[in-house]
Amino acid sequence: MATNRRISRVAELIKREVSQMLLHGIKDDRVGTGMVSVTFVDVSGDLQHAKVYVSIYGTDEAKSETMAGLKSATGFVRSELGSRVRLRRTPEVIFIEDDSIERGTKVLSLLNKLEYERSPENLTAGDNSDEGDEFLE
């Protein structure tokens, strides 16, 4: 069993190497249809499995094509990791789509909309008189 520090170091190393492969190594055209970035790598405690979370920017069709390309390139990615990273056993690689950036963008746009609606320029004297009445019912 590896220590937490070693697990995090291996995860960062895998993240860096897979990011480099996405830029220069993977020749599958489907991977290039969407902008892809590695957001997080989760390595199991025994260093046998690595979940690679990728964020894909583009249409839903481009996202599905890119994920299909990544899933077909897992063997290549694992063999490249084996040659680039010095580990006893190269971990199994699983690509998972990460939509946290999109969710964060939605939350930020909602917060900006709320801030705009509550700004003093957009409030009139009549709007404030009914404030809180819906909670009294």
Side-chain angles (χ1 to χ4, degrees):
M1 187 64 83
T3 63
N4 287 338
R5 183 173 178 211
R6 179 173 163 88
I7 292 170
S8 63
R9 285 177 50 210
V10 169
E12 279 300 312
L13 187 59
I14 291 173
K15 180 180 176 183
R16 186 174 353 131
E17 293 300 328
V18 171
S19 296
Q20 286 297 316
M21 282 185 248
L22 287 174
L23 288 175
H24 304 293
I26 300 176
K27 303 289 186 217
D28 194 341
D29 291 336
R30 295 177 291 181
V31 176
T33 57
M35 230 174 59
V36 184
S37 64
V38 178
T39 56
F40 182 69
V41 175
D42 184 24
V43 179
S44 65
D46 58 358
L47 303 176
Q48 296 299 310
H49 302 283
K51 293 179 186 176
V52 179
Y53 292 88
V54 292
S55 177
I56 305 167
Y57 183 76
T59 63
D60 289 335
E61 181 181 318
K63 288 179 184 181
S64 62
E65 282 183 30
T66 303
M67 283 305 295
L70 287 173
K71 286 184 194 287
S72 70
T74 53
F76 169 76
V77 170
R78 184 172 185 217
S79 66
E80 278 293 307
L81 275 176
S83 64
R84 294 181 184 196
V85 179
R86 300 240 183 245
L87 292 173
R88 237 179 241 153
R89 291 195 54 181
T90 305
E92 293 285 332
V93 177
I94 302 166
F95 286 103
I96 300 173
E97 186 176 352
D98 184 14
D99 63 345
S100 63
I101 294 175
E102 290 177 4
R103 285 185 282 140
T105 303
K106 286 180 184 177
V107 169
L108 282 175
S109 67
L110 286 172
L111 288 172
N112 288 336
K113 182 180 175 186
L114 252 167
E115 182 182 13
Y116 175 76
E117 289 174 355
R118 290 185 176 194
S119 66
E121 304 91 44
N122 295 326
L123 293 177
T124 61
D127 289 343
N128 290 337
S129 62
D130 294 336
E131 192 174 318
D133 286 346
E134 65 271 3
F135 297 113
L136 295 176
E137 295 177 2

